[in-house]
mmCIF file of all heavy atoms in Angstrom:
data_model
loop_
_atom_site.group_PDB
_atom_site.id
_atom_site.type_symbol
_atom_site.label_atom_id
_atom_site.label_comp_id
_atom_site.label_asym_id
_atom_site.label_seq_id
_atom_site.Cartn_x
_atom_site.Cartn_y
_atom_site.Cartn_z
ATOM 1 N N ILE A 205 118.823 28.543 -40.590
ATOM 2 C CA ILE A 205 117.778 27.905 -39.782
ATOM 3 C C ILE A 205 117.935 28.294 -38.318
ATOM 4 O O ILE A 205 116.951 28.597 -37.630
ATOM 5 C CB ILE A 205 117.808 26.373 -39.970
ATOM 6 C CG1 ILE A 205 117.314 26.017 -41.376
ATOM 7 C CG2 ILE A 205 116.968 25.672 -38.905
ATOM 8 C CD1 ILE A 205 117.533 24.577 -41.763
ATOM 9 N N SER A 206 119.174 28.300 -37.831
ATOM 10 C CA SER A 206 119.442 28.676 -36.444
ATOM 11 C C SER A 206 118.994 30.103 -36.173
ATOM 12 O O SER A 206 118.499 30.416 -35.090
ATOM 13 C CB SER A 206 120.930 28.526 -36.155
ATOM 14 O OG SER A 206 121.244 29.016 -34.889
ATOM 15 N N SER A 207 119.161 30.969 -37.153
ATOM 16 C CA SER A 207 118.804 32.380 -36.984
ATOM 17 C C SER A 207 117.297 32.601 -36.940
ATOM 18 O O SER A 207 116.840 33.649 -36.492
ATOM 19 C CB SER A 207 119.402 33.210 -38.115
ATOM 20 O OG SER A 207 120.805 33.148 -38.064
ATOM 21 N N GLU A 208 116.521 31.641 -37.409
ATOM 22 C CA GLU A 208 115.065 31.771 -37.383
ATOM 23 C C GLU A 208 114.515 31.642 -35.970
ATOM 24 O O GLU A 208 113.447 32.150 -35.672
ATOM 25 C CB GLU A 208 114.427 30.728 -38.310
ATOM 26 C CG GLU A 208 114.669 31.016 -39.779
ATOM 27 C CD GLU A 208 114.115 29.953 -40.691
ATOM 28 O OE1 GLU A 208 113.485 28.979 -40.194
ATOM 29 O OE2 GLU A 208 114.301 30.084 -41.904
ATOM 30 N N ASN A 209 115.243 30.958 -35.098
ATOM 31 C CA ASN A 209 114.838 30.823 -33.706
ATOM 32 C C ASN A 209 115.288 32.086 -32.981
ATOM 33 O O ASN A 209 116.490 32.318 -32.814
ATOM 34 C CB ASN A 209 115.492 29.575 -33.107
ATOM 35 C CG ASN A 209 115.179 29.384 -31.645
ATOM 36 O OD1 ASN A 209 115.272 30.320 -30.854
ATOM 37 N ND2 ASN A 209 114.836 28.170 -31.283
ATOM 38 N N LYS A 210 114.337 32.910 -32.579
ATOM 39 C CA LYS A 210 114.661 34.226 -32.000
ATOM 40 C C LYS A 210 115.488 34.120 -30.716
ATOM 41 O O LYS A 210 116.404 34.908 -30.507
ATOM 42 C CB LYS A 210 113.382 35.033 -31.741
ATOM 43 C CG LYS A 210 112.573 35.311 -32.995
ATOM 44 C CD LYS A 210 113.409 36.015 -34.046
ATOM 45 C CE LYS A 210 112.574 36.258 -35.291
ATOM 46 N NZ LYS A 210 113.361 36.460 -36.474
ATOM 47 N N GLU A 211 115.181 33.139 -29.872
ATOM 48 C CA GLU A 211 115.961 32.979 -28.641
ATOM 49 C C GLU A 211 117.414 32.633 -28.977
ATOM 50 O O GLU A 211 118.351 33.221 -28.429
ATOM 51 C CB GLU A 211 115.358 31.879 -27.767
ATOM 52 C CG GLU A 211 116.128 31.651 -26.484
ATOM 53 C CD GLU A 211 115.549 30.521 -25.641
ATOM 54 O OE1 GLU A 211 114.539 29.901 -26.039
ATOM 55 O OE2 GLU A 211 116.127 30.268 -24.571
ATOM 56 N N ASN A 212 117.593 31.692 -29.880
ATOM 57 C CA ASN A 212 118.936 31.294 -30.303
ATOM 58 C C ASN A 212 119.669 32.465 -30.952
ATOM 59 O O ASN A 212 120.848 32.702 -30.691
ATOM 60 C CB ASN A 212 118.836 30.107 -31.269
ATOM 61 C CG ASN A 212 120.170 29.455 -31.526
ATOM 62 O OD1 ASN A 212 121.033 29.451 -30.653
ATOM 63 N ND2 ASN A 212 120.342 28.909 -32.709
ATOM 64 N N LEU A 213 118.963 33.220 -31.780
ATOM 65 C CA LEU A 213 119.560 34.384 -32.441
ATOM 66 C C LEU A 213 120.030 35.405 -31.410
ATOM 67 O O LEU A 213 121.150 35.905 -31.488
ATOM 68 C CB LEU A 213 118.546 35.030 -33.398
ATOM 69 C CG LEU A 213 118.999 36.311 -34.089
ATOM 70 C CD1 LEU A 213 120.220 36.055 -34.967
ATOM 71 C CD2 LEU A 213 117.851 36.888 -34.916
ATOM 72 N N MET A 214 119.206 35.708 -30.424
ATOM 73 C CA MET A 214 119.577 36.685 -29.408
ATOM 74 C C MET A 214 120.762 36.203 -28.565
ATOM 75 O O MET A 214 121.659 36.991 -28.231
ATOM 76 C CB MET A 214 118.387 37.014 -28.494
ATOM 77 C CG MET A 214 117.258 37.765 -29.185
ATOM 78 S SD MET A 214 117.800 39.369 -29.803
ATOM 79 C CE MET A 214 117.640 39.137 -31.550
ATOM 80 N N LEU A 215 120.782 34.919 -28.230
ATOM 81 C CA LEU A 215 121.912 34.378 -27.477
ATOM 82 C C LEU A 215 123.212 34.491 -28.281
ATOM 83 O O LEU A 215 124.255 34.871 -27.743
ATOM 84 C CB LEU A 215 121.649 32.920 -27.093
ATOM 85 C CG LEU A 215 120.622 32.706 -25.987
ATOM 86 C CD1 LEU A 215 120.262 31.221 -25.863
ATOM 87 C CD2 LEU A 215 121.129 33.237 -24.662
ATOM 88 N N ASN A 216 123.141 34.186 -29.568
ATOM 89 C CA ASN A 216 124.328 34.290 -30.424
ATOM 90 C C ASN A 216 124.784 35.735 -30.602
ATOM 91 O O ASN A 216 125.985 36.020 -30.587
ATOM 92 C CB ASN A 216 124.075 33.635 -31.783
ATOM 93 C CG ASN A 216 124.083 32.127 -31.706
ATOM 94 O OD1 ASN A 216 124.719 31.537 -30.840
ATOM 95 N ND2 ASN A 216 123.370 31.490 -32.608
#
Side-chain angles (χ1 to χ4, degrees):
I205 289 169
S206 173
S207 297
E208 290 177 2
N209 177 313
K210 299 304 179 201
E211 179 182 0
N212 192 31
L213 176 62
M214 292 298 115
L215 287 170
N216 286 333

